[in-house]
Each structure stands twice: as C-alpha cells, then as structure tokens.
Amino acid sequence: MPYKRRSTLFFTSIKEEKPLPGLPIIILLLFLGIASSCGNKVTTTDLPVSVPEDYTLPTGEADLEEEWWSSFGDSTLNALVDSALMHNLELRGSWYQVAQEASNVAIIASERVPQVFLELQGGASRPVPDFVGGENTQLSLRSSYEVDLWGRVKQSKLAAESRLRATFLDYRTLGISIAGEVALTWFSMQAFQEQLDLIREQTEYNEQVLALIRVRFASGQVRGVDILRQEQLIQNTQEQATAIEIEVKTLRNRLAVLLGAVPGSLNLPQDGKLPELSPMPDAGLPMELINRRPDVQSSFNRLEAADREVAVAISNTYPRLSFNFTGALRSNTLTNLVESQAASITSSLLMPLFYGGRLNAEKEQAEFFRDQQVQLYGQTVLQALQEVEDAMIRENLQKDRIGYLENQLDLAERAFQQLRVEYLNGSIAYLDVLVSLDQMQQLKRDLVNAELNLLLFRLALYRALAGGFETPIENGGKFNLN
C-alpha cells in the first residue's frame, strides 16, 4: 500500500477486547479490570525529514516508462535486460527469499485457529492398576486454542505480512539495480569499442605522418628526433588501445555473469555506437517519488512491522486465555476400544507476575527498534531525493561540458591544420605539430567519454525515478505471491 506523506506517523498498539461469555464470574471481573486499563493506545512520532513540494531543477515532459531501459531505443540492450531479469541468479535467489517470508506468514497465521491432533497410545502395566489384563489402549483427539484477547497473534501476523511486502519490494529494487547494471555495462562496452575504432584510425593516420617524416628526413629537411617523437606517439596510442581492450573483455565477463552465464561464454556483436539521448523524463513531484520507489516503500513496511512488534511486546505483559479439549476412547484391548469413552474440556488463564523485568525490557527493545526504523525510513527518503537531484544536476552540467569539449576540438583541429601547413613550409619545428596532434586526438577520446557519462547520468536518473516492474520470475516459478 503506498504511504501518503504526513508530518507525523501514527502507531496503534492494543485494542480493547471483551472477555468471552460463559467464564466464571471471578475471571470475568478480573478480565474487566484488566481491560479497563488497556484501551486503545495511539502514539505519534514526528518524521525525521520534511519532503519538499518540488525539485530544485525543472524536469522534462516525456513520460517515464515502466521499462525505462527501452527509452534508449537499443534493441540489443532490451534483449540483454530481459535475459538478465529471467536468468540472473541473485535475482532468482531474492525471489525465494520472498517465498520464505510468505511461508512465515502462513506459519504465524496458523496460531489463530485451533490446533488439532490425533493420538494413539498403547502400553502394559504390571501389576494391573487400571484394567483387567493390564493392557492400556487409548485413541484420543486433542485440540488446543488460545483466545487472542489482546491481538498478540493478530499483530504478529500483520507484522509478518509487512515484512513480506518489504521483502517483495526489496526484490523489485534488486530488479531495478540489475537492469541498471546491465545497461551501464553495455553502454561502457559500446563506448570503449568506439574509442578502439577511433584509436585505430588515429594510429593509421600517425603511421602515415611517420612515413612522410621519414621521406623528409631522407632529403635532409627534418631532424631524426622528429621520427622518434612520432614513433613515441604511435606507441602511446597502441598502449591506450591495449588498456581499452582489457576493459572491454572484463566488461563482457561482467555482463555474462549478470545474465546468469559463464564468464567468457558471451559473444555479442558491437557496432561501437552509443544511442542518442532521449528527451528528459517528467520526474513528477517528490511525493510521487516516495510512493513509487520500491526501496522507500520497503523501508516503510519494515517500519510498520516494527510498530506491530511493539503491540506484540505489550500484549505479552497481559494474561493469556487458552482452551484444551480432549476426547478419548479407552480399553484394555484394541478390539474393545469403543467400549469406554471419555471427554474433557479445560481452560487456563496465564497471568505474568514476575519475570525479572524481561517483559518490560522486551517492550522497550521493540520501541527502540521501531524508533530506529523511523530514522532509517527518513534516511531512505533523503537518499531517494538526493539521487534524483544529483542525476538532474549532472546531466544538465554534462551537456555544457560536452559543448566546451566540442569547441575545444574544433579549435584544436583548426590549429593543427595551420601548424601542419607551416611545418610543411619549413617555418616551424615538428614539435609544435606533434603537440597539437596529440591534443586533438586526446580531445576526440575525451569527447567519447563525456558522451558516455551523459548517458550514464540519464541512466542514473531513470534508476532514481523508477518504480517496480513485473519480472518473468514472478510468474514462471513454483511460488506465486498471490
């Protein structure tokens, strides 16, 4: 259930329950006296944060898609994310954690119904105390039931359900993270491949320049040191190409593991082209972000579960009423089992009197844990808002940075062409041309990195704004949340 933001959180603990009719008058009076002191208890606590009405930066107008990675328009990326959501082992393990929590809810809910079991006893005694022959045979049906006077079992079940929802939302959060990691890895591989292609072109051009220098050196127009400097530039570009190849191969292994495959088994065609940036999505309002993000909602559900546990701890300090029913068939032989019947029903009232302060300590511990969850919930809200703000700031400023790099590259290309003409005319030394060439080629590589970072900042914004989405594992396994 989405949580609507208020300035305070309201916690309900114990509700008043009337004793069951038919009990002895003394027990009735005792219960009425206790119940009169245990009315509805509602406590409030201030939230540790205040949610702003809007973000500091204007957002876009494009709709935020549930499968946000499709906004990049990359069919290969879409297929990779679909495969990861189906086969990622960490995500599948997280789903089984959800199944465990669902089983825990069923275990706790079983305490709300009578426990019934069938018992068959047989034995012999010497000398004979009960039956002729001394053979004792008994078939009995036993049942026990605790009346949930103060809502202890009910609150325990509600707490377990809140933890189940929190675990499921953690699973959804992990799905967002895995989709984001796949996109990040794929874009990085594409950018590195683009840099490799660029370096190969630069190396080919540098080798052509080296051949020209050698011709001019043979005619005595340049010094031999110019050849050495040009060869050093070629070696530098080749060293950078090797470093990039290392990154590409390790990223391919990382992508394989994200897809649940063995490292080294993934073979994907790469064109070395980054996708165009789509229009900025509409981030909505901060309140909508809190209601949408699964990690924030998970934190709230854990807070809700902690509050339920406070009610359980309080109810443990009150009396417990239980009923036991036994119906039995008894005989000295198995064939005469139906000749003697017996039945009994008993009730018991357990009132805690002295536990050395343990019950009060447990109640205080539950309250402190709830207060801790309040702070953690506030911190989760702050982190969610920070992620959105940071992503928008980085994207806006990164666009300016790319513009500056493009201007620098344009100036560097013009300077190189002018210096190249002057060098061929013999008016300047080759060192000036070499420095300009190195700067121009480095700016081209820096521009590819800047475009990659712009995509990654948009990816961070999608992840920060994303809500949960349905994964193939939810409908393809033995366990279904419903």
Side-chain angles (χ1 to χ4, degrees), residues 417-481:
Q417 294 299 330
Q418 183 174 348
L419 290 172
R420 183 174 179 273
V421 172
E422 293 179 1
Y423 169 71
L424 294 176
N425 293 331
S427 58
I428 62 173
Y430 179 70
L431 180 60
D432 294 333
V433 181
L434 181 65
V435 172
S436 179
L437 176 62
D438 186 28
Q439 290 177 347
M440 181 185 65
Q441 294 180 347
Q442 185 61 48
L443 281 172
K444 289 182 178 180
R445 296 193 291 267
D446 291 343
L447 186 58
V448 174
N449 282 331
E451 292 173 349
L452 171 63
N453 288 334
L454 181 61
L455 273 178
L456 297 185
F457 294 154
R458 171 59 64 82
L459 174 61
L461 180 60
Y462 282 143
R463 293 177 63 174
L465 294 174
F469 51 84
E470 187 172 315
T471 63
I473 301 176
E474 297 179 33
N475 297 321
K478 298 180 181 179
F479 165 73
N480 187 286
L481 185 64

Side-chain angles (χ1 to χ4, degrees), residues 79-128:
L80 291 173
V81 172
D82 291 342
S83 179
L85 295 179
M86 172 64 76
H87 302 292
N88 183 272
L89 299 183
E90 184 180 4
L91 188 62
R92 297 177 71 88
S94 178
W95 181 247
Y96 286 113
Q97 180 64 37
V98 178
Q100 293 178 50
E101 291 296 333
S103 299
N104 187 50
V105 172
I107 292 172
I108 296 177
S110 66
E111 299 181 17
R112 304 188 67 183
V113 298
Q115 309 297 307
V116 182
F117 57 92
L118 187 66
E119 182 182 20
L120 177 62
Q121 292 180 338
S125 59
R126 297 291 185 275
V128 182

Side-chain angles (χ1 to χ4, degrees), residues 8 99 115 144 170 303 346 367 375 403 468:
T8 56
Q115 309 297 307
S144 62
D170 290 341
L303 167 60
T346 60
E367 291 173 345
Q375 305 304 316

Side-chain angles (χ1 to χ4, degrees), residues 10-17 38-43 146 148-160 162-163 302-320 359-360 362-371:
F10 294 85
F11 301 122
T12 304
S13 53
I14 303 300
K15 292 184 178 180
E16 182 178 355
E17 299 281 353
C38 301
N40 294 337
K41 295 184 177 180
V42 178
T43 59
E146 178 185 341
D148 195 18
L149 290 175
W150 322 111
R152 181 184 66 85
V153 179
K154 176 183 177 182
Q155 296 298 330
S156 296
K157 179 176 178 292
L158 292 175
S162 296
R163 286 192 294 268
R302 295 188 189 282
L303 167 60
E304 191 174 51
D307 179 54
R308 302 292 187 186
E309 294 295 345
V310 173
V312 173
I314 293 175
S315 65
N316 285 336
T317 62
Y318 299 150
R320 294 188 186 182
L359 297 180
N360 287 331
E362 290 176 350
K363 180 176 70 70
E364 292 179 354
Q365 182 186 46
E367 291 173 345
F368 292 146
F369 182 73
R370 180 190 63 190
D371 295 340

